[in-house]
């Protein structure tokens, strides 16, 4: 749990510093801090987080307004901080995608306790690597990496790699259909559902996150490749190519 990557979003430097100091004392050291919703969105596009602490009252775009956009990029639990304490405000926070809601002023140790509780619910301990190849049962072996459908686990070169559920679902679909090209719209329909809001950036962000996990060099992908003008495909050697 202590290796979790946390993003703190608040326009008050004192709160950012307080939370970072307390989290460091509790053993959390992978912490990023930003002051606006726009910076939070950019951070989530560049990096995968295990948890986000998001202030509601931010300049330009509030945390409530930003949350649905952040949700397109990550399924990491979001803990709202807010001076607004009505039931309506709290329900709104949960409705837009928040997982917890704490009102200001707050006890920093309560924030830490809630962060730990959210991480316990959403992060799995590293499982034991299978000692022998498993045949069938939803195991997809691409040599460098293996995907275990039933367990929801990704291994790269024998090491368990954390994989958020939306990233895992897209990777699983592509692994089930190797060497087939899918357009962005097809991926939306097959993975997210036909009623999902279509945003090219969402697919590209999740493609990037998959490459960060499975590729030797994400800038020059060998497995999840782009076919210019057509879409994406997961390459598996030894199988006939389908177009």
């Amino acid at each position: 749990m202590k290796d979790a990557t946390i993003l703190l979003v608040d326009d008050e430097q004192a709160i950012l510093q307080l939370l970072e100091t307390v989290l460091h004392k509790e053993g959390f050291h992978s912490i990023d801090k930003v002051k606006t919703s726009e910076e939070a969105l950019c951070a989530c596009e560049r990096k995968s987080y295990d948890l986000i602490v998001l202030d509601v009252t931010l300049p330009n775009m509030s945390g409530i307004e930003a949350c649905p956009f952040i949700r397109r990029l990550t399924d990491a639990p979001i803990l709202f901080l807010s001076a607004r304490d009505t039931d309506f405000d709290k329900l709104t926070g949960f409705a837009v995608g928040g997982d917890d809601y704490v009102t200001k002023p707050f006890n920093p140790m309560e924030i830490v306790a809630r962060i730990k509780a959210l991480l316990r619910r959403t992060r799995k301990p590293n499982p034991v690597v299978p000692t022998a190849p498993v045949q069938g049962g939803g195991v997809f072996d691409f040599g460098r990496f293996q995907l275990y459908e039933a367990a929801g686990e990704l291994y790269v070169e024998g090491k368990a790699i954390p994989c958020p559920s939306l990233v895992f679902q897209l990777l699983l679909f592509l692994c089930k259909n190797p060497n087939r090209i899918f357009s962005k719209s097809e991926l939306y329909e097959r993975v997210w559902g036909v009623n999902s809001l279509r945003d090219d950036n969402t697919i590209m962000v999740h493609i990037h996150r998959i490459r960060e996990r499975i590729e030797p060099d994400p800038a020059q992908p060998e497995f999840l490749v782009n076919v210019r003008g057509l879409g994406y495909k997961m390459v598996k050697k030894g199988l006939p190519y389908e177009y």
Side-chain angles (χ1 to χ4, degrees), residues 6 23 28 51 53 79 111-119:
I6 299 173
L23 286 167
F28 295 94
L51 184 138
V53 178
L79 188 160
I111 300 297
V112 173
R114 289 176 181 261
I115 286 173
K116 289 180 178 179
L118 287 170
L119 290 173

Side-chain angles (χ1 to χ4, degrees), residues 35-220:
K35 293 186 175 182
T36 69
S37 293
E38 292 82 359
E39 290 174 334
L41 287 167
C42 289
C44 290
E45 287 178 346
R46 295 192 306 266
K47 186 173 179 179
S48 293
Y49 291 97
D50 296 300
L51 184 138
I52 299 169
V53 178
L54 179 62
D55 185 29
V56 168
T57 308
L58 294 170
N60 299 324
M61 180 189 296
S62 74
I64 295 293
E65 293 171 324
C67 189
F69 295 100
I70 294 174
R71 271 283 164 258
R72 297 183 192 176
L73 303 174
T74 178
D75 61 352
I78 295 175
L79 188 160
F80 276 117
L81 295 181
S82 176
R84 303 172 182 174
D85 61 357
T86 70
D87 288 342
F88 176 78
D89 291 317
K90 295 176 182 178
L91 290 172
T92 300
F94 290 121
V96 297
D99 298 275
D100 203 350
Y101 193 105
V102 177
T103 57
K104 299 179 181 180
F106 55 80
N107 183 331
M109 293 310 299
E110 179 186 358
I111 300 297
V112 173
R114 289 176 181 261
I115 286 173
K116 289 180 178 179
L118 287 170
L119 290 173
R120 280 196 298 270
R121 292 205 301 263
T122 57
R123 300 189 85 214
K124 300 177 183 177
N126 284 344
V128 177
V129 178
T131 57
V134 181
Q135 300 298 324
V139 179
F140 303 91
D141 190 345
F142 283 72
R144 173 179 165 81
F145 71 92
Q146 294 78 38
L147 198 69
Y148 294 81
E149 180 179 9
E153 296 165 358
L154 169 66
Y155 286 85
V156 180
E157 295 187 330
K159 181 181 179 181
I161 303 297
C163 198
S165 63
L166 292 179
V167 175
F168 186 89
Q169 289 170 24
L170 179 57
L171 176 57
L172 176 62
F173 175 76
L174 291 166
C175 287
K176 284 184 173 181
N177 298 277
N179 298 338
R180 290 185 57 185
I181 299 172
F182 294 95
S183 67
K184 293 175 183 176
S185 62
E186 286 176 318
L187 290 175
Y188 263 112
E189 293 171 3
R190 303 290 291 276
V191 179
W192 274 270
V194 294
N195 294 321
S196 297
L197 179 62
R198 295 187 178 181
D199 178 357
D200 285 354
N201 188 57
T202 300
I203 286 291
M204 289 188 290
V205 166
H206 283 77
I207 292 291
H208 177 70
R209 289 184 171 180
I210 290 174
R211 286 172 172 167
E212 284 183 321
R213 288 166 167 79
I214 69 172
E215 299 286 357
D217 180 3
Q220 299 182 12

